[in-house]
């Protein structure tokens, strides 16, 4: 045996590039649970439990497939606490002539892997991660010569490249994008699908006990832990989604309902991002459901757009924008993140719903992240780094490459429009249209002024006024600025005073 292959916590795929075409008898796979990964943000307890349990189960699967796996647990007394320290120890334990590793998914870990090349006296090969449709080079070629980077055009190229939902050179159904058919509000439905609840086995229970002991102060619950932690179970959730939720996914993609955290969403992102599920295989299965006449085009296209469109696009933006992307603060927002983001203790029903389900399930769907918690932070002028660190901590699917462009770019417009053509800023009317939250709220979504007024309303106009110099020239913001201009000066002053008064209560 002479090849050492580190397998990171988001590389839990049997077809990982570092493993490809290797003779199993020549290789030792190294998997390590390390402090530095568990503390770079205060991860949700269920997120840590999910990743570590999925790692332990994957190590078993790899062994069953004939690989030798050297696995170091977090509580191992000799554990150095870092990927680099564990590589050094493994090189001492084994007689190794080369190291192969699939590239890291984020800048922080990339810098670490790059440093190994000079640091260790053994050849180190870093391979591209080919679990994505678009390579780094391909994305850079797409960027070249473009004034604006817009997801829609990138997505069309990915459709052509993958052949997904294509009828020759034309899009299936005649349209590239059925987004306008993805915006129905939902009605409560007794037959609504629920994600499968996987009962923790003894390995997962051990991890949960360790997490509860070691990360007691972190946000979240584990007593209701029900994630799949193996590829086999993740495939069961995939099949459940295809059969039960996908048919209505398109219609209700943007909808929100009280005490219904999952609706018709797939709840597959933790499995896709850690490697248990293959995104392209999933998209082909979605396409097959469409061709079999089991799901409408707006569902199949809507889903495939999220995966080969948005997911690939945000990864491209992350690497294109560089390691300093995180420092962007185009709207000059500096307010600290309110404490209720961690507790859910707020009278705004939409916010408490989104945050409480985040605490309970390490999950919120896209519109809750973008138009409730994200929108509130944007309107209130919360420091984008604090917003980013919150999203990175609290969701089971959160890794910086996918979370940062979504939070800092799409939701906070802190990159000044590199990713999104306009800020996703909205008053209470949007939340009222897409949910049943407002009917159950202490505030009145129709009021703009006074103690019962929905805070989103005055905050929205305050955001518009505060950012006039930065946003007025954006053609997609013409309408809000026209409406702001039409308002009576006294109303403008009163709205801004109402917003100021509310913001002061945030502490
Ligand atoms: P579905 O609604 O069933 O969608 C299907 C799949 O499409 C998802 O599993 C995911 O793989 C992909 N997808 C959908 N939208 C996006 C998107 N905008 N970017 C990338 N992939 C997408 N997604 C993450 O995977 N990790 C994150 O850390 C993350 N942070 C986010 C932060 C903010 C502020 C916002 C607005 C969005 C974020 N997203 C993130 C995108 C999206 O919210 C989640 O992918 C989705 O909610 C996951 O739930 P699901 O699997 O049920 O998704
Ligand atoms: C998120 C995470 C956590 C909490 N713990 C570990 C760990 O102990 N070991 C590991 O290999 N990976 C972990 N991860 C996922 C890593 O942060 C992720 O694989 C890196 O970000 C790779 O870029
Ligand atoms: Fe949220 Fe305002 Fe509706 Fe209350 S009234 S749920 S605060 S949007």
């Amino acid at each position: 045996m002479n090849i050492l292959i580190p397998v990171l916590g988001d590389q839990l795929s049997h077809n990982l590039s570092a493993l490809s075409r290797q003779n199993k008898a020549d290789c030792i796979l190294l998997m390590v649970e390390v402090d530095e990964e568990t503390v770079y943000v205060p991860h949700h307890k269920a997120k840590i439990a999910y990743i570590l349990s999925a790692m332990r189960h994957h190590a078993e699967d790899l062994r069953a497939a004939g690989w030798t796996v050297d696995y170091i647990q977090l509580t191992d007394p000799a554990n150095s606490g870092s990927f680099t320290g564990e590589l050094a120890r493994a090189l001492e334990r084994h007689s190794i002539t080369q190291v192969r590793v699939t590239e890291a998914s984020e800048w922080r870990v990339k810098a670490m892997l790059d440093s190994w090349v000079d640091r260790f006296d053994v050849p180190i090969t870093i391979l591209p991660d080919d679990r994505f449709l678009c390579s780094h080079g391909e994305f850079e070629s797409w960027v070249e010569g473009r004034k604006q980077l817009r997801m829609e055009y990138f997505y069309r190229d990915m459709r052509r490249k993958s052949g997904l939902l294509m009828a020759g050179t034309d899009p299936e159904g005649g349209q590239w994008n059925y987004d306008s058919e993805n915006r129905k509000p939902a009605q409560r439905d007794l037959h609504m699908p629920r994600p499968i609840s996987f009962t923790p086995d003894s390995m997962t229970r051990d991890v949960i006990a360790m997490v509860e002991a070691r990360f007691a102060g972190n946000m979240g619950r584990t007593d209701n832990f029900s994630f799949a932690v193996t590829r086999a179970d993740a495939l069961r959730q995939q099949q459940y989604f295809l059969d039960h939720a996908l048919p209505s996914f398109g219609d209700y993609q943007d909808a929100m309902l009280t005490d219904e955290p999952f609706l018709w969403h797939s709840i597959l992102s933790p499995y896709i991002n850690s490697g248990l599920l293959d995104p392209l295989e999933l998209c082909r299965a979605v396409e097959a459901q469409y061709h079999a006449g089991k799901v409408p085009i707006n569902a199949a296209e809507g889903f495939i757009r999220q995966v080969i469109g948005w997911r690939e696009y945000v990864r491209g933006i992350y690497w294109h924008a560089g390691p300093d992307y995180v420092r962007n603060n185009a709207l000059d927002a500096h307010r600290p993140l309110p404490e209720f983001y961690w507790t859910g203790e707020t009278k705004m029903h939409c916010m408490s719903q989104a945050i409480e389900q985040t605490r309970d399930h390490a999950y919120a769907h896209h519109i809750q992240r973008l138009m409730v918690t994200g929108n509130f932070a944007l309107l209130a002028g919360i420091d984008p780094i604090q917003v980013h660190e919150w999203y990175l901590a609290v969701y089971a699917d959160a890794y910086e490459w996918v979370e940062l462009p979504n939070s800092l770019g799409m939701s906070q417009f802190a990159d000044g429009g590199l990713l999104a053509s306009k800020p996703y800023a909205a008053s209470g009317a949007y939340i009222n249209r897409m949910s049943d939250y407002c009917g159950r709220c202490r505030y009145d979504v129709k009021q703009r002024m006074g103690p019962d007024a929905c805070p989103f309303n005055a905050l929205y106009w305050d955001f518009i006024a505060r950012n006039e110099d930065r946003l007025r020239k954006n053609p997609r913001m013409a309408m809000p600025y026209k409406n702001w201009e039409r308002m009576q000066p006294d109303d403008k002053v009163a709205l801004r005073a109402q917003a100021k008064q509310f913001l002061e209560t945030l502490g």
Side-chain angles (χ1 to χ4, degrees), residues 75-86:
T75 49
D76 183 328
N79 190 328
S80 64
S82 73
F83 282 141
T84 304
E86 286 313 285

Side-chain angles (χ1 to χ4, degrees), residues 34-156:
V34 285
D35 255 346
E36 74 184 342
E37 294 309 300
T38 56
V39 301
Y40 63 81
V41 284
H43 301 285
H44 191 293
K45 287 178 196 165
K47 175 184 180 186
I48 304 177
Y50 164 68
I51 292 172
L52 300 191
S53 180
M55 284 175 64
R56 290 184 190 189
H57 283 86
H58 186 63
E60 292 294 294
D61 282 358
L62 288 166
R63 286 183 184 122
W67 296 98
T68 301
V69 183
D70 186 1
Y71 193 101
I72 305 297
Q73 296 196 350
L74 202 55
T75 49
D76 183 328
N79 190 328
S80 64
S82 73
F83 282 141
T84 304
E86 286 313 285
L87 180 69
R89 289 204 317 125
L91 290 174
E92 280 167 19
R93 270 197 305 279
H94 309 285
S95 166
I96 297 296
T97 54
Q98 57 163 303
V99 173
R100 282 169 67 82
V101 61
T102 294
E103 67 179 321
S105 65
E106 64 190 67
W107 285 106
R108 178 182 61 88
V109 183
K110 177 187 182 327
M112 205 184 305
L113 300 198
D114 288 348
S115 77
W116 291 356
V117 175
D118 291 332
R119 189 172 185 142
F120 294 107
D121 207 11
V122 58
I124 296 184
T125 309
I126 301 176
L127 297 124
D129 190 342
D130 56 13
R131 295 173 299 167
F132 292 88
L133 190 56
C134 184
S135 68
H136 300 314
E138 230 177 317
F139 193 83
E140 286 311 316
S141 308
W142 180 78
V143 164
E144 230 174 78
R146 281 174 198 268
K147 280 207 194 112
Q148 286 192 320
L149 308 181
R150 292 295 163 249
M151 196 287 292
E152 180 60 26
Y153 299 106
F154 171 80
Y155 165 56
R156 292 179 191 183

Side-chain angles (χ1 to χ4, degrees), residues 81-321:
S82 73
F83 282 141
T84 304
E86 286 313 285
L87 180 69
R89 289 204 317 125
L91 290 174
E92 280 167 19
R93 270 197 305 279
H94 309 285
S95 166
I96 297 296
T97 54
Q98 57 163 303
V99 173
R100 282 169 67 82
V101 61
T102 294
E103 67 179 321
S105 65
E106 64 190 67
W107 285 106
R108 178 182 61 88
V109 183
K110 177 187 182 327
M112 205 184 305
L113 300 198
D114 288 348
S115 77
W116 291 356
V117 175
D118 291 332
R119 189 172 185 142
F120 294 107
D121 207 11
V122 58
I124 296 184
T125 309
I126 301 176
L127 297 124
D129 190 342
D130 56 13
R131 295 173 299 167
F132 292 88
L133 190 56
C134 184
S135 68
H136 300 314
E138 230 177 317
F139 193 83
E140 286 311 316
S141 308
W142 180 78
V143 164
E144 230 174 78
R146 281 174 198 268
K147 280 207 194 112
Q148 286 192 320
L149 308 181
R150 292 295 163 249
M151 196 287 292
E152 180 60 26
Y153 299 106
F154 171 80
Y155 165 56
R156 292 179 191 183
D157 284 354
M158 292 301 106
R159 288 274 292 280
R160 292 186 189 99
K161 179 174 183 192
S162 64
L164 281 162
L165 290 181
M166 294 298 294
T169 53
D170 295 325
E172 185 71 41
Q175 250 172 260
W176 286 104
N177 186 316
Y178 291 81
D179 194 23
S180 58
E181 293 174 38
N182 294 149
R183 295 177 193 152
K184 286 193 190 157
Q187 299 298 322
R188 208 159 285 281
D189 173 356
L190 285 179
H191 306 293
M192 211 178 274
R194 299 280 187 285
I196 304 176
S197 180
F198 296 94
T199 307
D201 63 6
S202 64
M203 196 181 267
T204 301
R205 290 199 301 274
D206 283 352
V207 172
I208 288 175
M210 186 268 287
V211 167
E212 282 295 345
R214 210 171 164 116
F215 303 97
N218 290 26
M219 186 194 199
R221 290 171 62 180
T222 54
D223 58 320
N224 59 351
F225 185 93
S226 57
F227 285 114
V229 290
T230 61
R231 171 163 164 81
D233 278 349
L235 282 169
R236 283 186 192 104
Q237 174 59 26
Q238 173 173 316
Q239 193 57 48
Y240 179 85
F241 167 69
L242 293 171
D243 293 337
H244 301 286
L246 179 61
S248 296
F249 173 86
D251 285 351
Y252 303 124
Q253 207 174 320
D254 290 1
M256 298 173 279
L257 281 180
T258 297
D259 295 337
E260 290 294 349
F262 307 113
L263 298 169
W264 288 267
H265 290 274
S266 67
I267 331 298
L268 293 176
S269 50
Y271 314 135
I272 303 173
N273 294 348
S274 62
L276 295 184
L277 293 181
D278 177 340
L280 215 52
E281 188 180 86
L282 167 60
C283 288
R284 300 226 181 277
V286 168
E287 184 188 39
Q289 293 290 93
Y290 166 73
H291 286 307
K294 293 183 178 161
V295 307
I297 185 78
N298 73 328
E301 187 281 319
F303 189 85
I304 287 172
R305 179 173 3 109
Q306 304 313 314
V307 179
I308 65 165
W310 280 111
R311 185 170 185 271
E312 295 277 342
Y313 173 73
V314 299
R315 178 181 186 250
I317 293 280
Y318 176 79
W319 289 106
H320 171 71

Side-chain angles (χ1 to χ4, degrees), residues 348-351 428 431-432 437-438 441 443-445 454-456:
M348 291 178 281
H349 184 59
C350 52
M351 291 289 283
I431 294 172
N432 192 31
Y437 291 155
C438 301
C441 185
Y443 295 109
D444 182 348
V445 70
C454 165
F456 280 81

